[in-house]
Amino acid sequence: MERSNHTVSEFILLGFTSDPIVQLVLFVMFLIMYTLTVLGNTTLIILICSDSRLHTPMYFFIGNLSFLDLWLSTVYTPKILVICVSEDKSISFAGCVAQFFFSAGLDYSECYLLAAMAYDRYVAIAKPLLYSQVMSIKLCAFFVAASYMGGFFNSSIITKKTFTFDFCNDNIIDDFFCDLLPLVKLACGGKEGYQALMYFLLTSNVMMPIALILASYLVIIATILRIRSTQGRLKAFSTCSSHLISVTLYYGSILYIYSRPRTSYSLDTDKIVSTFYTVVFPMLNPLIYSLRNKDVKEALNKLFK
């Protein structure tokens, strides 16, 4: 990675606050959330791998989503914990590049994976007789591999472009991690074409998956409405309700931050929203996909017994 014109050896992450009492409270909160994230996602992955009843395309995607969330939370949370309790709030230039690259790659990959899961629910509800034939192991593996490849390919583009900026000798990031908007705010000059690149990546990594998800759910809703019995409708809807909740929470927070006009940016508000999709969302996903899921509950009981 070629460095910017002004040599910056490290960045300073301001975090949320300078109040030591509040920092200690935040440390405890983030530690609890990270512990629950690791336990929840690891348990879900173990259940899916060990229980033969969960060896289906839907749980294959859920397992990969749990792995993504586990990795994503690990990219952010350990550094947040250090910032909360240490006077040294610095992160090296290479560390900032690595955090930015992996966080962007994992976020983009999750966008694609959620779209693949929507297609899986579409086939399961709209074409149930062809489900096992259409959603083959090869196709599922292809969707997951394509999600990672697309996510990290686009991440490499935005990472290279961002860290070749001239940072004007200012290295203070008003955030708790190396995020796109605070880094762009530090840059001066050379921003021509960067906003166009941001809109391109927003379209390809967020808007296109959203369009695919909406198209899938339009067909799903139309199929459910054609079911005559109320019980049948509820059963069909319950198979995709967890995914729908997950999509709404994840895409809602991302769109709020990155699709607003530049004049409406508020770093304090963005910090809170960023916390949701970087720390809170990976913790919630195992609960979303397991609390209302009979198969997962039975597998969990079997594991404990």
Side-chain angles (χ1 to χ4, degrees):
M1 176 70 65
E2 181 185 352
R3 294 215 179 175
S4 56
N5 295 333
H6 286 299
T7 302
V8 176
S9 60
E10 64 179 18
F11 292 96
I12 306 298
L13 299 171
L14 295 183
F16 294 92
T17 178
S18 58
D19 188 322
I21 302 300
V22 178
Q23 284 184 337
L24 183 60
V25 173
L26 290 174
F27 173 81
V28 174
M29 288 175 56
F30 281 114
L31 181 61
I32 292 172
M33 286 190 288
Y34 184 58
T35 303
L36 292 175
T37 300
V38 173
L39 289 175
N41 286 288
T42 303
T43 302
L44 194 54
I45 292 171
I46 292 172
L47 288 176
I48 292 171
C49 292
S50 61
D51 198 304
S52 59
R53 292 173 297 178
L54 304 182
H55 293 173
T56 64
M58 182 180 75
Y59 292 110
F60 176 76
F61 288 124
I62 291 175
N64 278 279
L65 182 65
S66 291
F67 175 73
L68 266 177
D69 286 336
L70 188 60
W71 191 1
L72 184 65
S73 183
T74 303
V75 169
Y76 295 111
T77 313
K79 188 61 182 178
I80 295 174
L81 294 174
V82 172
I83 292 172
C84 288
V85 295
S86 173
E87 293 183 0
D88 182 11
K89 301 183 184 300
S90 64
I91 182 172
S92 67
F93 184 91
C96 191
V97 173
Q99 188 185 63
F100 185 92
F101 172 75
F102 283 107
S103 62
L106 293 168
D107 283 330
Y108 294 157
S109 298
E110 189 149 337
C111 288
Y112 292 131
L113 186 61
L114 288 171
M117 293 172 72
Y119 177 76
D120 171 70
R121 293 299 83 207
Y122 151 73
V123 177
I125 294 175
K127 301 179 180 180
L129 298 179
L130 298 175
Y131 180 70
S132 59
Q133 182 179 349
V134 174
M135 298 305 298
S136 63
I137 296 176
K138 289 184 179 180
L139 182 62
C140 293
F142 169 77
F143 280 154
V144 172
S147 297
Y148 279 106
M149 290 175 64
F152 280 97
F153 174 76
N154 287 317
S155 175
S156 64
I157 296 174
I158 194 67
T159 302
K160 181 177 181 181
K161 183 66 176 178
T162 301
F163 286 93
T164 52
F165 272 139
D166 183 349
F167 290 110
C168 310
N169 291 326
D170 193 354
N171 66 339
I172 299 176
I173 299 176
D174 190 7
D175 210 330
F176 59 92
F177 68 103
C178 294
D179 198 11
L180 177 65
L181 298 180
L183 284 168
V184 173
K185 188 178 180 181
L186 293 181
C188 61
K191 295 184 182 180
E192 297 80 7
Y194 189 78
Q195 190 169 6
L197 176 62
M198 285 180 60
Y199 282 127
F200 168 75
L201 292 176
L202 181 67
T203 301
S204 61
N205 294 298
V206 180
M207 302 310 296
M208 284 181 61
I210 286 178
L212 292 173
I213 291 170
L214 288 175
S216 298
Y217 273 100
L218 285 174
V219 179
I220 288 172
I221 292 171
T223 304
I224 291 176
L225 291 176
R226 288 198 297 266
I227 300 175
R228 295 181 179 180
S229 67
T230 303
Q231 187 177 0
R233 290 180 182 178
L234 291 174
K235 184 178 179 181
F237 181 75
S238 66
T239 63
C240 57
S241 58
S242 297
H243 177 259
L244 192 58
I245 294 170
S246 181
V247 166
T248 303
L249 294 176
Y250 187 74
Y251 280 105
S253 57
I254 289 180
L255 288 175
Y256 177 81
I257 293 177
Y258 296 107
S259 64
R260 288 177 297 150
R262 185 178 297 179
T263 54
S264 66
Y265 285 154
S266 171
L267 285 176
D268 290 334
T269 305
D270 287 354
K271 285 180 188 179
I272 298 173
V273 179
S274 297
T275 303
F276 186 82
Y277 79 83
T278 57
V279 180
V280 179
F281 183 77
M283 178 189 68
L284 292 178
N285 255 346
L287 300 176
I288 293 172
Y289 285 102
S290 61
L291 285 180
R292 299 179 60 189
N293 194 305
K294 182 180 177 181
D295 292 334
V296 174
K297 289 179 181 178
E298 290 178 355
L300 189 61
N301 290 330
K302 181 181 176 181
L303 180 67
F304 282 124
K305 287 179 181 179

